[in-house]
Amino acid sequence: TADIYLHIILKKHTSELLGIISDPDKLAVDMWSADLVPDPVKDNVLTTLGISRFQKSSKLLDEVYRSLKVFNRPNILVKFCEVLKIQQNAGLTRIADDMLKQLSGL
């Protein structure tokens, strides 16, 4: 089904995303601005002391997975890709373009 496929698209890139995201604080703010994460998640990423870049990035990706599970809409993944592309990181842009290409095949 489409919801499983959306999860597969994101899952395929999760480990690479976790390794590439260099500024999870900026990503959290941009995801919040795009209505992809609620205030508590954004605030947790921005204010919790002692958590690594990897842990912050993981929290953000978990929120995208949660949204896909609850709402089951491709536009969530499209918005996430748009946010990735504005991070000014060639690796994130490449992953976003790949996910968008996969989405276009749905």
Side-chain angles (χ1 to χ4, degrees):
T1 63
D3 60 330
I4 293 171
Y5 192 70
L6 294 173
H7 283 89
I8 290 171
I9 290 173
L10 183 57
K11 185 175 183 168
K12 176 183 173 191
H13 299 284
T14 296
S15 64
E16 189 176 6
L17 283 167
L18 289 172
I20 291 176
I21 295 169
S22 60
D23 190 351
D25 293 348
K26 180 183 182 322
L27 182 60
V29 171
D30 292 343
M31 288 176 68
W32 173 79
S33 295
D35 293 324
L36 289 169
V37 297
D39 284 333
V41 172
K42 174 189 61 96
D43 293 343
N44 182 277
V45 168
L46 296 177
T47 62
T48 303
L49 300 176
I51 64 171
S52 69
R53 175 188 57 81
F54 180 88
Q55 290 168 312
K56 290 179 177 187
S57 300
S58 185
K59 284 178 187 273
L60 295 170
L61 289 179
D62 286 347
E63 190 61 28
V64 176
Y65 276 113
R66 187 201 64 75
S67 294
L68 288 172
K69 184 176 180 180
V70 171
F71 300 110
N72 187 27
R73 294 187 307 216
N75 70 316
I76 293 167
L77 205 49
V78 169
K79 284 169 62 173
F80 180 61
C81 290
E82 291 168 354
V83 168
L84 290 177
K85 291 176 91 160
I86 64 171
Q87 301 306 299
Q88 300 179 350
N89 178 306
L92 293 177
T93 299
R94 180 184 48 76
I95 291 169
D97 288 341
D98 189 42
M99 287 194 290
L100 289 169
K101 183 178 176 182
Q102 292 174 38
L103 279 170
S104 70
L106 282 180

